[in-house]
Amino acid sequence: MTVLDEAPAPVADAPAQPLHPRVVALWRIGALLWWAFLTAAAVVATFIFEKSPWLALPVAIIGAAWVIVVPPFQYRHFRYRMSDVDLRIMHGWLWRSVSVVMHSRIQHVDTHQGPVERMLGLATVVAYTAGSVGARVAIPGLAASEADVLRERLAAVSGTDDGV
């Protein structure tokens, strides 16, 4: 008999949950602002170095393509799952990442909303754990009411076994 044979059976996980579809608009707005800044910086650089402003056109084209193409891929590849023992966050379409946070490690949970998130009715749930690496895990793009429910559920399950 091996150690694996003695291990308890894994807890049945709930299905992975997608983000709210409006998060695509949120990510597009954020990407648009960054690419607009980069395009403006490229135009300014062409004037500083006395080059044609048309040299900034590739930056604008790449930015437009990014704003159109990348957010839907991010949305399709971002899921979260809350089971009886942990919170899992799976994301990434080029570089995939899975974060597993045990409920017993969660110290506190917040919700955040920026102005654009408020306008779109979205919020971000952030769970904080002890430690320095990975001490903050976030689930962006949830409907505000869903974020409140998830925050309260995480707070309830994380506060059940205080080690002090």
Side-chain angles (χ1 to χ4, degrees):
M1 183 174 233
T2 67
V3 173
L4 291 177
D5 293 333
E6 296 172 9
V11 177
D13 287 328
Q17 300 295 314
L19 303 178
H20 196 283
R22 283 192 301 249
V23 75
V24 173
L26 175 69
W27 288 339
R28 279 190 170 145
I29 292 168
L32 179 65
L33 293 173
W34 276 110
W35 281 102
F37 171 77
L38 291 175
T39 301
V43 169
V44 168
T46 62
F47 283 112
I48 290 172
F49 296 109
E50 298 177 357
K51 302 292 182 187
S52 170
W54 290 104
L55 291 175
L57 187 62
V59 175
I61 291 170
I62 291 169
W66 187 280
V67 167
I68 292 168
V69 173
V70 171
F73 278 101
Q74 288 176 306
Y75 172 73
R76 272 183 281 212
H77 296 282
F78 198 116
R79 299 282 185 266
Y80 70 95
R81 176 183 312 156
M82 185 171 158
S83 73
D84 293 340
V85 293
D86 63 18
L87 171 67
R88 292 175 189 261
I89 301 171
M90 295 90 44
H91 63 91
W93 54 282
L94 284 178
W95 290 272
R96 297 198 176 168
S97 174
V98 177
S99 298
V100 180
V101 179
M102 304 307 290
H103 294 318
S104 61
R105 301 290 297 158
I106 296 174
Q107 292 185 336
H108 68 279
V109 185
D110 293 336
T111 52
H112 293 238
Q113 275 187 311
V116 179
E117 283 177 304
R118 266 193 312 278
M119 181 180 73
L120 294 171
L122 299 175
T124 299
V125 173
V126 183
Y128 297 90
T129 64
S132 59
V133 177
R136 177 186 186 273
V137 292
I139 305 171
L142 298 173
S145 59
E146 181 182 351
D148 290 340
V149 169
L150 181 60
R151 180 195 65 224
E152 295 305 320
R153 281 185 61 206
L154 284 170
V157 297
S158 66
T160 58
D161 185 24
D162 192 0
V164 178

